[in-house]
Amino acid sequence: MRYIKLSSENFEKFFNSLKALGKVYGPVKKGNIYSFQEVQRAEEMSLDYNRTMLPPKKFFVMPRDTILRLKNGRWENGINDEPFVLFGVHSCDIHGLKILDKVYLEEPADPYYRVRRENAIVIGISCMPDEYCFCKSLGTDFAMDGFDLFLHELPDGWLVRVGSVRGHEIAWEHEELFDEVTEEDLANFRAFEERRAKSFKKELNKEGLADMLDLAYNSPVWKKYADICLACGNCNMVCPTCRCYEVCDKWLNAYEAVRERRYDSCFMESHGLVAGGHNFRPTRLDRFRHRYYCKSYFDPSAGFNCVGCGRCDEFCPAKIEHVKVLDEVRGSLQ
Amino acid sequence: MTENPYISYDARILEVKDLTPREKLFTLRFIDPDVGEKFEFKPGQFVIVDIRGFGEFPISLCSSPTRRGYLQLCIRKVGRMTKFIHRMKEGEIVGIRGPYGNGFPMERMEGSNLILVAGGLGMAPLRSVLWYAIDSGKYEHIWLLYGTKAYEDILFRDEIIHLLKHGEAMNCSVKLAYEVESPSCIYLEKGFSDRVCRGVVTDLFRGEEFDVNNTYALICGPPVMYKFVIRELLDRKLSPGRIYMTLERRMRCGVGKCGHCIVGTSTSIKYVCKDGPVFTYWDALSTRGLI
């Protein structure tokens, strides 16, 4: 890894230089929530944000996405391949994108996802956990790759980790904005990371989690929470790794139609429905449990399907807490 | 942009045949001969039928790869999309993409006996296996145990009756169980008293002996059928690794992205569309929710 320093006074110049690479999206505060929006000036962004409502997946797997257009009876690709910059992505969300990569880039790769991924410049930013974060338990609190540049806050600027060839190129082109890292900067970086590590209030016991959950298939805790759950699917929408989608065709006029993909949720009754009306997950209990199994699936090469971002907790109208459910399920085994 | 796996290829409907009041057999051929040439599949695989502007649905291939030049799909009228295709006529065009899924391991089973257990619409994918096995001549003996509701519901009735009469010459024994009595069934039962009976598909196992070390079972039918058929096979000491079943889920994309066909728990997640739809009974034992 290459480490360089961006001083506070150069920050705005650096931000402005990114606009030459494409549209820049950053975290913006709207009311009480944050979201990634197109930004023109650095001060529009709230870089000390806790989490955006929709994770950066919305740029790659879109809530509504026209994938094909029917013209003269044939499908044509409806793809937009403009480059763009995602500014200020947290480490957990970078890990979330890596999990999506595993699914969408595996052969046959999803062409829409791949083009958007290739066109995206990802600039990470350090953060302080709030009461919902448990990324440290899952090892997603620090990103080693999956970004082009990663900015770590220092008292007088940013320590920048360069994570890709494109990151190197950006730093190279704007050499004048960056300084060498001093011993003092490194000490500050370490101090920040230590302070951050101590700030986590929530912890997930992941020891043997996958096996433990499998054993607890019939635990009464599932039913307890399924009864509280409103089955609204909010947790799916805001999750950085949930990616189920539904497809539907729409006529625009008598001659033209589009095929549209949109987010689907495993809490919807139609999710496990097959032709003829048989449903493989007929009850809310089945669907509730399925989500937890899907999120806690442990892939030996990629880890869990959850990155501990805390969105499902923050945006759950029934105030169901992910870690608490898993802890209770574990408790019910003893 | 490179090839888009979600775009289907044009195929012309060559023939539409009524199989039962609910099911029709569609025979299709790709318009582009290159596509037809490259389209290779294994019994047990499925395709996604694309009716442009209306939607897509997954369906098993029911023709055999040994019979080249066309594809056949047996489609039951159950929903919006299948109702639509049932109204389509010869000469019309649909899109086809695929084939998807793993299919049955036909090569691994060469030289062995095959027991095909079909329930209702489950006959469709197993017909592909049946004709592949008969045409290739690489299998010891083939049993087809087929459970159906009534005489009118027997899929590929002409073929089944033909095999009842002449199957032994092709190393194939067909047995049929029906639930609803009718004059036609009684007539069949009179003609083939040892092979046609009133009952359920598991009744057809009665009196059958097979060499468990040289036999594979292939099952397809409604979800409720699997448990009973598997019990029957395990009672005869057939190894779970020799029991193959093909499963149905809501496969939207066919390539392991859309997530609708995910089954299993935290220790074992499977996509039915790409890890299956053919699974062994070992898979079912280690992946909850598979059957």
Side-chain angles (χ1 to χ4, degrees), chain A residues 77 110 210 214 246 259 264, chain B residues 4 6 50 252 260 266-267:
Chain A
N77 285 320
D110 184 275
D214 205 354
E246 181 59 287
R259 179 160 290 166
D264 198 1
Chain B
N4 187 329
Y6 305 118
D50 176 8
R252 215 79 175 94
H260 285 98
S266 43
T267 51

Side-chain angles (χ1 to χ4, degrees), chain A residues 68 70 73-75 77 79 103-104 106 108-112 114-115 210-211 213-214 217 243-247 249 251 257 259 261 264 270-271 273-276 278 280-281 290 293-294 296-298, chain B residues 1-8 10 50-56 78-79 97 100 223 248-253 255-269 271 274 286 288-290:
Chain A
L68 298 171
L70 190 68
R74 285 183 178 278
W75 288 123
N77 285 320
I79 196 161
V103 175
Y104 278 94
E106 186 177 303
D110 184 275
Y112 308 95
R114 187 170 57 194
V115 166
D211 260 319
L213 284 180
D214 205 354
Y217 189 80
R243 71 269 172 174
C244 283
Y245 69 74
E246 181 59 287
V247 190
D249 287 8
W251 285 95
R259 179 160 290 166
R261 278 204 307 217
D264 198 1
S270 58
H271 195 270
L273 198 67
V274 293
H278 186 80
F280 286 93
R281 278 187 280 278
H290 173 71
Y293 279 132
C294 194
S296 306
Y297 169 63
F298 185 75
Chain B
M1 196 163 89
T2 52
E3 208 173 308
N4 187 329
Y6 305 118
I7 293 186
S8 54
D10 285 349
D50 176 8
I51 301 178
R52 287 150 190 169
F54 293 92
E56 294 185 310
V78 277
R97 60 185 180 92
Y100 296 126
E248 181 186 16
R249 282 298 185 281
R250 185 159 181 240
M251 298 169 224
R252 215 79 175 94
C253 69
V255 288
K257 315 285 182 215
C258 80
H260 285 98
C261 68
I262 289 180
V263 288
T265 56
S266 43
T267 51
S268 169
I269 289 264
Y271 287 86
K274 62 178 183 124
S286 55
R288 227 188 275 261
L290 209 56

Side-chain angles (χ1 to χ4, degrees), chain A residues 124-139:
Chain A
I125 202 157
S126 60
C127 52
M128 271 292 169
D130 70 357
E131 69 270 31
Y132 297 112
C133 299
F134 58 99
C135 53
K136 187 165 170 257
S137 313
L138 291 161

